[in-house]
Amino acid sequence: MLEVKKSVGRYAASYVEDGMVVGLGTGSTAHWFIDEVGRRYQTGELKNILCVSTSEASSQQARELGLPLKNLEDVNAIDLLVDGADETTRQFAGIKGGGGALLHEKITAEYAHKIVWIIDESKLVDQLGKFPLPVEVVQFGSWKLFDRFQERGMNPSFRKDHKDS
């Protein structure tokens, strides 16, 4: 499965063109996308790009590769955002955020002209819901929302770790 993730992640980097503002997604497949963008930048194939990351993990990887990293506030728009999905159907309905970067991913996506989701076969499902649906909330009112979900039989739980946030 690792080779498939590498392959699709690296292939997605072929969509990146010089002069673009590139959104760097989060997760195991996006890791390979960032890796390939970094390789292309280091070899001079891409000379004039800016990157905006959806998570601290992706930002750290970009810094290690020497990619020029900007905050979302520093760019007007993102030409291309490439990110993984946690689940998707063949009709392209999907779920994101299982890795814990949902809010950052959604805000970044709002400024992207084009979004490419990279997936492998393990992400394809007939019906969404293979894992718990992520809902990212701010601290204010979070217990009220938790109670409402519980009243509706949704079996909510709080994430205890800060993976990929």
Side-chain angles (χ1 to χ4, degrees), residues 10-144:
R10 289 183 171 158
Y11 179 79
S14 69
Y15 289 98
V16 177
E17 298 174 6
D18 208 31
M20 282 186 162
V21 176
V22 182
L24 307 176
T26 298
S28 59
T29 311
H31 170 87
W32 297 108
F33 165 74
I34 298 168
D35 188 64
E36 181 64 9
V37 171
R39 184 198 65 77
R40 291 179 64 202
Y41 184 76
Q42 290 168 357
T43 63
E45 185 180 338
L46 297 171
K47 296 177 179 139
N48 183 29
I49 61 169
L50 292 176
C51 299
V52 176
S53 173
T54 61
S55 71
E56 183 51 42
S58 295
S59 292
Q60 180 63 34
Q61 182 184 5
R63 283 190 289 273
E64 290 170 2
L65 293 167
L67 289 169
L69 196 59
K70 293 288 185 182
N71 291 320
L72 181 61
E73 293 81 12
D74 298 329
V75 300
N76 292 325
I78 296 169
D79 297 301
L80 173 69
L81 169 63
V82 177
D83 203 352
D86 296 302
E87 289 183 5
T88 187
T89 66
R90 294 193 188 280
Q91 294 75 34
F92 302 111
I95 294 178
K96 294 198 46 52
L102 178 63
L103 185 58
H104 287 210
E105 291 170 335
K106 286 175 72 171
I107 292 170
T108 305
E110 281 297 313
Y111 294 92
H113 294 301
K114 184 175 185 178
I115 300 170
V116 173
W117 277 7
I118 47 178
I119 63 164
D120 60 67
E121 278 189 14
S122 72
K123 307 296 182 161
L124 284 174
V125 294
D126 292 325
Q127 180 177 355
L128 298 176
K130 185 176 177 181
F131 71 93
L133 179 66
V135 178
E136 194 158 352
V137 297
V138 296
Q139 186 175 0
F140 178 78
S142 59
W143 280 106
K144 289 295 216 184

